[in-house]
Amino acid sequence: MADFHGVFPYLVSPVDPAGHIRTEVLGRLCDDLIKAGVHGLTPLGSTGEFAYLNNAQRATVVQTTIEAAQGRVPVVAGVASTSTADAVAQARAYQKRGANGILAIMEAYFPVGDAQVESYFRAIADAVDIPVVIYTNPNFQRSDLTLDVIARLAEHPRIGYIKDASTNTGRLLSIINRCGDSIKVFAASAHIPAAVMMIGGVGWMAGPACIIPRQSVELYNLCRRTRWDEAMVLQRKLWRINEAFARFNLAACIKAGLAFQGYDVGDPVPPQAPLTVEQRNVIEAALRDLS
C-alpha cells in the first residue's frame, strides 16, 4: 500500500458562472501547491464542494488534478454518493483516470445503520486496487462511523487511512489505540494538526492548506522532527486562519483567500453565497498577518 503522509490540501473546484470547470486555474493551483512542498492533492474533498457538482464536473476536476500533478505527488480523489453503486462507479472511474487513492465519503438522506455504513465503504474498497481513505465528518453527515465500524474496516487490505473531521481529538486517540498500525489517522481543519501529530497522526487533509501551503508543510516538518516547542509557536500563529474560517462557509473562505492571492477560482456554487466585503476583509487580514 502507498504511504500517504503529510499535507494534502483539499482543492477548491473553480467553476465559472456557466458551470464549466476552470481547468487552467485549477492546474496552476495544483502546480503551485506542489512547488510549495505539499505531499499530495485531494480533489473533491469538502472544500471542493463535491455535494454541489454533477458527475461531469467532478470527473473534470479529478482529471485536471491528475494531469497537473504529473506523478509528482499522489492524488487522492474524493468519492461521495448516497448510493453504493454510484460511489463504486466513481471510484473505478477515478482509478482508471490515474488516481493514486480514493477518499471515500458517505452521503445520506435517510438514516442508515452501522451495517449499511460499513458495507458502503467496504464496497468502494473492494472495487479498486488503490488505497482508500475513509472520511467521517459528524458535523455534516447523517451517518457517522462508529469506533467498532472503523476497527472492522481497518482490517480491509485497502483501507489504510482515516480522515476524521470531528472536533474530538480524544476520538482520534481512541482510533489509534484501537486500530494500531492497521489504520493511519489524518487530521482535519477542525483539529489542531500539531496535537494530532503528537498523538500519532500522519498529517492532515484540509482546505486551509490551499492558501497557506508553505506554512503547513513547515509545521508538518517541525512535528516530524519532534521540535514541538517550535511547532506550537507556528501552530498558534496558523490557528488564526482556522478561527476566521470557522465563522463563515469554508469553501467560500478558501475561494476568497485564493482570489486574494491571484487565483480566479470564482464564487462558491449556488445556493451557497460568496463572502460579503466585510467577511472577505477578515480573511484577507488573517492572510496578511501570516505573510
Side-chain angles (χ1 to χ4, degrees), residues 21-280:
I21 301 299
R22 295 174 173 174
T23 55
E24 291 185 6
V25 176
L26 179 57
R28 180 166 72 91
L29 174 62
C30 291
D31 189 57
D32 289 345
L33 289 170
I34 292 170
K35 290 175 179 176
V38 303
H39 304 85
L41 298 172
T42 306
L44 302 181
S46 52
T47 311
E49 302 174 275
F50 65 82
Y52 300 90
L53 304 179
N54 60 39
N55 282 336
Q57 290 170 319
R58 292 181 183 187
T60 300
V61 167
V62 172
Q63 185 67 44
T64 300
T65 304
I66 291 168
E67 290 175 357
Q70 297 181 334
R72 291 174 289 174
V73 298
V75 174
V76 178
V79 164
S81 183
T82 54
S83 158
T84 300
D86 180 50
V88 165
Q90 289 179 45
R92 286 174 172 160
Y94 297 159
Q95 177 179 349
K96 188 174 181 180
R97 289 176 182 273
N100 307 104
I102 297 296
L103 175 73
I105 306 160
M106 185 176 190
E107 298 184 285
Y109 182 78
F110 295 114
V112 293
D114 283 358
Q116 288 71 47
V117 172
E118 182 177 346
S119 68
Y120 174 88
F121 288 99
R122 195 174 291 277
I124 294 171
D126 287 342
V128 296
D129 299 316
I130 52 180
V132 173
V133 183
I134 56 177
Y135 173 93
T136 176
N137 190 334
N139 296 315
F140 296 108
Q141 295 167 319
R142 289 177 63 88
S143 300
D144 193 15
L145 284 157
T146 66
L147 188 58
D148 287 342
V149 169
I150 292 168
R152 289 194 295 270
L153 289 173
E155 298 173 358
H156 193 288
R158 281 177 295 285
I159 297 177
Y161 304 88
I162 183 169
K163 185 266 177 83
D164 181 296
S166 71
T167 58
N168 184 351
T169 306
R171 171 181 159 102
L172 301 188
L173 186 56
S174 293
I175 293 170
I176 292 169
N177 285 344
R178 175 80 174 267
C179 300
D181 294 333
S182 61
I183 197 163
K184 297 177 182 178
V185 171
F186 277 93
S189 57
H191 294 111
I192 300 172
V196 175
M197 289 286 291
M198 184 175 288
I199 65 173
V202 296
W204 52 95
M205 295 181 170
C210 279
I211 58 175
I212 50 169
R214 287 185 173 82
Q215 298 96 324
S216 298
V217 170
E218 181 184 357
L219 177 62
Y220 172 78
N221 288 335
L222 288 171
C223 291
R224 283 293 297 266
R225 297 170 186 147
T226 67
R227 292 162 60 178
W228 300 115
D229 289 345
E230 295 170 75
M232 286 311 302
V233 170
L234 179 57
Q235 178 68 92
R236 281 191 287 268
K237 187 176 181 181
L238 297 185
W239 193 247
R240 297 171 192 165
I241 290 287
N242 293 70
E243 289 175 330
F245 289 167
R247 298 171 57 186
F248 315 121
N249 174 288
L250 180 59
C253 288
I254 302 297
K255 284 189 166 180
L258 286 170
F260 177 64
Q261 295 175 338
Y263 299 93
D264 187 15
V265 294
D267 292 330
V269 180
Q272 300 174 101
L275 298 187
T276 66
V277 173
E278 293 77 11
Q279 291 168 340
R280 285 177 180 268

